[in-house]
Amino acid sequence: MLLFWRKGFAAASMNDLCDAMGVRSPSLYAAFDSKEALYLAAIEHYVVKHGQPVWDRLADGATAREGIENLLAAAVETLPKSRMTPAGCMAVLAAVSDEWPAPIAREIRKVRLDMLGSLRARLEAAVANGELPATTDIEALSRFYLSVFQGMAIQAKDGATPAELGGTAKAAMAAWPGDS
């Protein structure tokens, strides 16, 4: 997972993968059948281990605004490079860094659409409970906050600091409907 996250699908060679896993290619092929299948297993692991804890923060807070603030705060905490992980979001970076075999392209797109769906559901609930006006363009607002998250992931890959990402999150929250 870390090698694919760092290098992308195309740039991660079979030799790189075997070295990272401490196996020879026959063992890798016996376990995963192909580089594509290994990548799909890696992205599934990424979503559970790294993506879900960030996106679970969307449900934290009494309001949708607080949930989105919590999501962006989690992005500030997790997107910059650390001792343990590469910078950025593996699912977002996959959108801009590689040409994919069809099964991988479908899975990566599904992961990103799930992110959009999570935002949409949280904002729909905010309209239903009166936190946001009924006239709120849920689709546009969902896509706006997903774009902010995706942009933060790319900026983190390019070396943005937590303070810089925090400024982005703060600016994004200033665009919340009804805030002045």
Side-chain angles (χ1 to χ4, degrees):
M1 176 196 72
L2 293 173
L3 182 66
F4 280 132
W5 187 354
R6 195 172 13 264
K7 286 188 156 194
F9 176 79
S13 72
M14 289 305 292
N15 285 338
D16 291 337
L17 293 165
C18 288
D19 289 347
M21 296 173 67
V23 299
R24 300 177 75 78
S25 61
S27 297
L28 189 144
Y29 283 111
F32 294 100
D33 293 324
S34 67
K35 181 179 174 183
E36 291 86 358
L38 176 58
Y39 185 89
L40 289 170
I43 195 70
E44 182 179 322
H45 180 72
Y46 171 84
V47 167
V48 170
K49 183 171 180 175
H50 296 279
Q52 192 170 344
V54 171
W55 282 85
D56 283 352
R57 298 277 301 275
L58 183 59
D60 291 348
T63 65
R65 187 184 201 295
E66 289 175 7
I68 289 175
E69 281 180 310
N70 291 334
L71 167 68
L72 295 178
V76 169
E77 294 167 10
T78 62
L79 290 174
K81 182 178 180 178
S82 73
R83 283 187 325 106
M84 305 300 286
T85 63
C89 166
M90 187 177 173
V92 171
L93 297 175
V96 295
S97 66
D98 262 328
E99 289 190 23
W100 301 99
I104 292 175
R106 281 190 301 272
E107 183 60 26
I108 294 296
R109 183 173 189 270
K110 180 189 173 305
V111 170
R112 290 191 309 269
L113 289 174
D114 287 348
M115 293 174 184
L116 181 61
S118 294
L119 285 165
R120 189 181 296 121
R122 183 70 168 159
L123 294 171
E124 287 170 347
V127 168
N129 70 25
E131 178 190 348
L132 289 172
T135 58
T136 301
D137 186 340
I138 298 293
E139 187 65 22
L141 197 57
S142 300
R143 288 184 181 279
F144 170 74
Y145 282 108
L146 179 60
S147 295
V148 170
F149 178 85
Q150 291 170 332
M152 289 170 69
I154 293 168
Q155 290 176 30
K157 176 75 171 173
D158 289 343
T161 66
E164 291 164 335
L165 295 175
T168 300
K170 183 177 178 181
M173 293 315 301
W176 188 258
D179 283 0
S180 301

